[in-house]
Amino acid sequence: MTEPTDNTAIAVALAELRGTMAEGFATVNGTLTLLTQRHDQADRRIDAEATRIDLLAAAVDTLEKGETERQKRDAERLAALERTRWPLPSVAAAVGIGSLALSLYQLTGR
């Protein structure tokens, strides 16, 4: 038969095992806490970037539609300039026709 073991040695071994287990769980809990904190920070950064992207997309849509005040002013200015522009092609055609008429007059007049 085996001899009875010393209860004190068993108690010491169990206490050491309990301490090792507690230390391991504390380490795991600390690591999990750190990972949770980093995950929350990453979520906040992702949300901030998503908001920024949405704002940029809205700004691009506004620019593409031409709805900014500057674009409206420029469009009005361009329309006013087009209404009051010099009728250069019409003047050039009139000068050409006048020159043709004058040359025909001189040709038939001689």
Side-chain angles (χ1 to χ4, degrees), residues 1 8 13 17-19 23-25 29 32 41-42 50 55 57 59-60 64 66 76 81 88-89 100-101 104 109:
M1 250 173 108
T8 320
L17 182 60
R18 189 177 306 126
E23 182 183 335
F25 283 135
N29 283 338
L32 288 175
Q41 289 174 351
L55 290 174
V60 168
E64 287 177 351
E76 290 171 4
L81 287 172
L88 196 57
L100 179 64
L104 289 176

Side-chain angles (χ1 to χ4, degrees), residues 63-75:
L63 287 174
E64 287 177 351
K65 291 178 184 175
E67 295 177 351
T68 63
E69 290 300 319
R70 183 175 181 178
Q71 287 173 325
K72 289 177 184 175
R73 265 194 332 268
D74 289 346

Side-chain angles (χ1 to χ4, degrees), residues 6-103:
D6 186 27
N7 287 337
T8 320
I10 293 175
V12 169
L14 285 175
E16 289 177 6
L17 182 60
R18 189 177 306 126
T20 304
M21 293 293 291
E23 182 183 335
F25 283 135
T27 303
V28 170
N29 283 338
T31 304
L32 288 175
T33 303
L34 179 64
L35 289 175
T36 303
Q37 180 184 8
R38 287 182 182 171
H39 179 265
D40 291 342
Q41 289 174 351
D43 280 347
R44 282 193 297 273
R45 276 188 263 142
I46 288 171
D47 289 342
E49 289 299 320
T51 302
R52 184 173 169 256
I53 288 171
D54 290 343
L55 290 174
L56 288 174
V60 168
D61 288 344
T62 301
L63 287 174
E64 287 177 351
K65 291 178 184 175
E67 295 177 351
T68 63
E69 290 300 319
R70 183 175 181 178
Q71 287 173 325
K72 289 177 184 175
R73 265 194 332 268
D74 289 346
E76 290 171 4
R77 183 172 170 238
L78 181 62
L81 287 172
E82 287 176 347
R83 282 192 303 272
T84 60
R85 70 182 175 146
W86 185 263
L88 196 57
S90 302
V91 171
V95 168
I97 291 173
S99 300
L100 179 64
L102 183 62
S103 64

